[in-house]
Amino acid sequence: MAYKFDAKARYARSHEWVRVEGDVAVVGVSDYAQHLLSDIVYVELPEVGDTLTKGESMGTVESVKAAEDAYAPVSGEVIEVNTELEDNPEWVNEDPYNKAWLIKVTLSDESELADLMDATTYEAYVQEEEEKGGH
Amino acid sequence: MDYIPNTDADRDEMLKVVGVKSVDDLFADVPEKLRFPKLDLPPALTEMEMLQELQALGDENDDLNHIACFLGAGAYNHFVPKVVDSIISRGEFYTAYTPYQPEISQGTLQAHFEYQSMIAALTGMEVSNVSHYDGATAVAEAVIQALQVGRGKRLKVVLSPTLNPQYREVVHTYIQGMGVTTVGEDAPLGDLDALASLAEKDVACVIVQNPDFLGRLYTRGEMQALADKVHAAGALFVVSVDPVSLGLFTPPGHYGADVACGEGQPLGNTLSFGGPYVGFYAMKLDDVRKSAGRIVGETVDVDGKRGYVLTLSTREQHIRRDKASSNICSNQALNALAAAIHMAAMGKHGLRKAAELSYHKAHYAAALIDKLEGYAVKSDGLFFKEFIIQCPQPVAEINQRLLDEWGILGGYDLGSDYPELDGHMLICVTEMNNRAEIEALAEALAGMSAIATEDLEGQDESNDVEEVA
């Protein structure tokens, strides 16, 4: 199965991506993650002003099959959430790297980005997961 | 009950299939001495004798076909058209098991959809779910929804002291161990301003009942004013409401409720010794994903034909699982169906008529009782079908005598839930109470007041005699 990857983003093992745009880090879930979940019906996001800690749950992505936590790939303060997903959860399936960004945060520790995978490494990781999981 | 014949040939065939020679062989694993223990039973009765015996036992019950009922307090004796029983008894619907898997039939889904549509219309809300167990659990689910909306940052719940005491108990049970606190139950009875003042930044929801447990009806203006204050604090406004009252009075959706819920029994469900009942639950569309239960939607199939589907299925059970906020994924399918048939059969005008009759009869009864010596109607505000009377005798004694001497089921003894209302009775009058019953109640109460006075005088005299002796 061919999945899409955003070369400009960095990825967490729990399948979230981060893309630094100026002073802001944009966060979403990967194309592989939305494929695993299938049709997304609801996205529960944190509130503006919430403080996120890397690795902790920042929300829930619910599909017709399952509800999965989305984990914060980086620490920081939430400055914007994609409220349009309330009415358009299917964007996560259609365009996970652009229209379906979940939140924007100001990073509290930029060095955390180094712990994340680049697109090539993540692609290999997904390949491995696929072979292991038989999805 | 169906009679299913079981002939010798049927039995032989079944024995052959399971591979034994006789029915006795099926019990071979039971030690022989235990197979036929001696039972100390009276001689067997014939079918005719047995029916007579059971009839005689059954006749000792008092039921509402034979006694007049003035008891409400959460469960109500309203008219149920015969068509309700006739339709829910159909084989396609009649099951004690709530169908809730994805293969649920289109007929059941459509019935649920109709129920939701009518509940939403009746309460003036945007969307209704397929129901909860009863009024108490529906209110408790509203608390859970409000806590979800509050994202764990709002951990306080304001409960009106005139929300049904049993509902309040269920709410307390639900929130055990969740770090949630409740306030408001010690506020002055009927004081909405006092409740409004408790709506602070850490409050998830404010829950009131209208008409409240003591029968008092709050106006649209009073409720809207409370709703505005609750919303200003960022909390949800939850209203538990008597669905029958909505035939006549403003629905919660028109005065700012975020959740309108309550006991659906008065719609098409008989009292039935206390259950099973049905909790209705209607809300604003925004918060649907934070609610429990399930919702049926209307859609079209691949051929463009109308069909029904579990739009919000039992997500707690098979989607959210460990992330579920409530473990309620069932509903009261048959009772909800009864409510739907009831609403359809009564129609807008029928529901209004039932409410009007209840209102007028209750006010007639209140006027009669208020004139009696020793009694006083203590409902100071507006009321719908229930009102408080102050009694000259302990309520339990009055009720016992009403039942024994007059065949009347008296009102609810308020002293047990509200110590300050000891000696007060909550009387309920519905369209089912005819004029003769209401006048008999007044006559019976009047008689007890007089006897009470005589008793007192008698006692004084005997005391005098003792003193002399």
Side-chain angles (χ1 to χ4, degrees):
Chain A
M1 184 100 202
Y3 302 108
K4 283 177 268 176
F5 299 91
D6 179 351
K8 289 194 226 97
R10 296 187 70 82
Y11 299 83
R13 295 172 72 86
S14 46
H15 306 291
E16 295 82 11
W17 56 260
V18 186
R19 196 169 56 225
V20 178
E21 297 176 357
D23 298 339
V24 177
V26 186
V27 176
V29 296
S30 75
D31 189 47
Y32 176 67
Q34 69 82 10
H35 265 283
L36 285 187
L37 281 163
S38 79
D39 293 340
I40 309 290
V41 293
Y42 182 54
V43 182
E44 197 173 4
L45 298 171
E47 281 177 323
V48 171
D50 283 357
T51 305
L52 302 180
T53 307
K54 185 185 170 184
E56 287 186 2
S57 173
M58 61 172 194
T60 313
V61 182
E62 184 177 324
S63 74
V64 293
K65 285 203 307 199
E68 290 291 339
D69 279 324
Y71 298 97
V74 287
S75 307
E77 191 191 323
V78 179
I79 54 164
E80 201 180 339
V81 298
N82 189 351
T83 49
E84 286 196 82
L85 294 179
E86 277 173 29
D87 293 326
N88 307 286
E90 68 279 5
W91 286 1
V92 179
N93 296 115
E94 294 163 6
D95 191 7
Y97 296 111
N98 296 297
K99 262 180 13 186
W101 61 274
L102 301 182
I103 56 169
K104 293 181 181 173
V105 297
T106 49
L107 294 174
S108 58
D109 180 3
E110 285 196 23
S111 70
E112 284 177 353
L113 290 169
D115 303 337
L116 300 170
M117 294 174 267
D118 63 21
T120 321
T121 316
Y122 178 63
E123 189 169 352
Y125 171 69
V126 165
Q127 185 73 36
E128 230 173 86
E129 289 284 295
E130 279 257 283
E131 281 160 16
K132 212 164 55 188
H135 283 292
Chain B
M1 195 159 78
D2 290 334
Y3 178 70
I4 300 169
N6 186 355
T7 64
D8 288 343
D10 291 333
R11 276 192 288 271
D12 286 344
E13 195 185 335
M14 287 189 277
L15 290 170
K16 212 169 131 191
V17 170
V18 298
V20 292
K21 286 199 181 65
S22 68
V23 173
D24 286 346
D25 289 351
L26 294 171
F27 295 92
D29 292 329
V30 180
E32 196 167 347
K33 62 173 182 179
L34 297 177
R35 236 175 272 168
F36 297 103
K38 195 172 149 29
L39 301 174
D40 184 20
L41 293 173
L45 299 180
T46 64
E47 181 174 346
M48 189 179 71
E49 289 167 328
M50 186 188 70
L51 285 174
Q52 286 167 344
E53 168 113 14
L54 293 178
Q55 187 65 51
L57 285 172
D59 287 345
E60 288 186 35
N61 288 325
D62 281 323
D63 65 56
L64 298 193
N65 294 323
H66 299 96
I67 60 173
C69 174
F70 292 95
L71 182 60
Y76 299 102
N77 182 33
H78 282 289
F79 176 68
V80 178
K82 284 293 165 214
V83 66
V84 172
D85 246 4
S86 146
I87 295 179
I88 64 166
S89 306
R90 287 180 63 108
E92 298 92 330
F93 287 124
Y94 202 71
T95 164
Y97 179 73
T98 278
Y100 66 105
Q101 302 303 344
E103 65 271 20
I104 180 172
S105 78
Q106 280 294 306
T108 296
L109 286 171
Q110 183 176 355
H112 286 352
F113 183 79
E114 304 289 356
Y115 162 84
Q116 292 172 182
S117 304
M118 286 186 274
I119 288 292
L122 192 65
T123 54
M125 301 300 289
E126 288 174 332
V127 58
S128 155
N129 74 13
V130 199
S131 74
H132 287 297
Y133 294 127
D134 55 19
T137 52
V139 167
E141 289 298 337
V143 172
I144 304 295
Q145 175 179 328
L147 292 170
Q148 282 292 302
V149 173
R151 291 167 178 267
K153 291 172 190 162
R154 293 170 175 270
L155 290 171
K156 207 192 274 178
V157 173
V158 179
L159 294 177
S160 158
T162 53
L163 173 64
N164 188 319
Q166 293 181 343
Y167 296 10
R168 284 186 275 133
E169 267 186 61
V170 172
V171 168
H172 285 294
T173 304
Y174 262 54
I175 61 176
Q176 272 178 63
M178 293 173 71
V180 175
T181 52
T182 61
V183 289
E185 288 175 272
D186 54 358
L189 302 179
D191 187 346
L192 297 187
D193 288 338
L195 296 176
S197 71
L198 294 170
E200 291 168 347
K201 293 284 170 223
D202 56 347
V203 164
C205 63
V206 174
I207 308 185
V208 296
Q209 184 171 320
N210 191 28
D212 74 14
F213 186 72
L214 303 176
R216 175 159 174 189
L217 183 71
Y218 300 91
T219 65
R220 179 183 188 153
E222 289 172 309
M223 293 297 275
Q224 184 68 59
L226 176 57
D228 292 344
K229 287 172 191 155
V230 172
H231 290 152
L236 294 193
F237 184 42
V238 177
V239 183
S240 171
V241 67
D242 173 359
V244 174
S245 74
L246 301 180
L248 201 53
F249 301 106
T250 308
H254 295 185
Y255 50 70
D258 297 287
V259 176
C261 55
E263 179 52 68
Q265 172 274 324
L267 300 171
N269 287 269
T270 54
L271 288 163
S272 307
F273 304 98
Y277 287 175
V278 49
F280 66 89
Y281 194 96
M283 68 206 108
K284 287 182 177 163
L285 200 52
D286 284 351
D287 296 328
V288 157
R289 291 273 174 193
K290 312 272 190 203
S291 71
R294 50 218 183 114
I295 295 175
V296 175
E298 189 185 278
T299 184
V300 286
D301 67 9
V302 287
D303 300 321
K305 285 188 291 190
R306 184 170 69 175
Y308 298 90
V309 62
L310 276 175
T311 297
L312 272 195
S313 62
T314 58
R315 22 206 295 278
E316 293 80 13
Q317 189 183 38
H318 68 252
I319 295 176
R320 291 184 69 82
R321 302 161 73 92
D322 57 314
K323 291 175 193 67
S325 53
S326 163
N327 72 341
I328 299 301
C329 40
S330 184
N331 73 321
Q332 293 288 90
L334 199 67
N335 301 85
L337 176 66
I341 300 162
H342 181 88
M343 287 185 278
M346 296 288 279
K348 198 173 169 179
H349 298 292
L351 290 172
R352 186 184 172 96
K353 193 78 193 166
E356 273 178 0
L357 285 169
S358 300
Y359 178 89
H360 289 302
K361 290 180 177 196
H363 285 74
Y364 175 65
L368 282 187
I369 295 168
D370 198 36
K371 275 187 273 183
L372 302 177
E373 208 185 308
Y375 296 86
V377 170
K378 287 290 176 185
S379 293
D380 40 6
L382 298 171
F383 67 91
F384 170 45
K385 65 184 181 190
E386 287 178 285
F387 55 93
I388 304 171
I389 60 168
Q390 190 178 36
C391 302
Q393 295 266 57
V395 174
E397 284 175 29
I398 292 179
N399 276 338
Q400 193 60 54
R401 290 186 54 191
L402 283 174
L403 191 60
D404 294 344
E405 297 165 24
W406 293 80
I408 290 174
L409 188 59
Y412 187 78
D413 187 349
L414 287 169
S416 50
D417 294 308
Y418 301 91
E420 65 270 45
L421 290 176
D422 194 41
H424 291 69
M425 184 192 276
L426 184 68
I427 300 255
C428 173
V429 186
T430 73
E431 77 280 13
M432 299 290 273
N433 297 109
N434 60 34
R435 189 180 185 126
E437 285 176 5
I438 295 167
E439 286 168 0
L441 172 69
E443 193 187 335
L445 291 176
M448 283 177 212
S449 175
I451 290 167
T453 320
E454 279 165 24
D455 278 351
L456 216 61
E457 282 164 3
Q459 220 169 32
D460 284 343
E461 277 168 27
S462 64
N463 281 349
D464 288 345
V465 172
E466 266 180 32
E467 272 173 31
V468 171

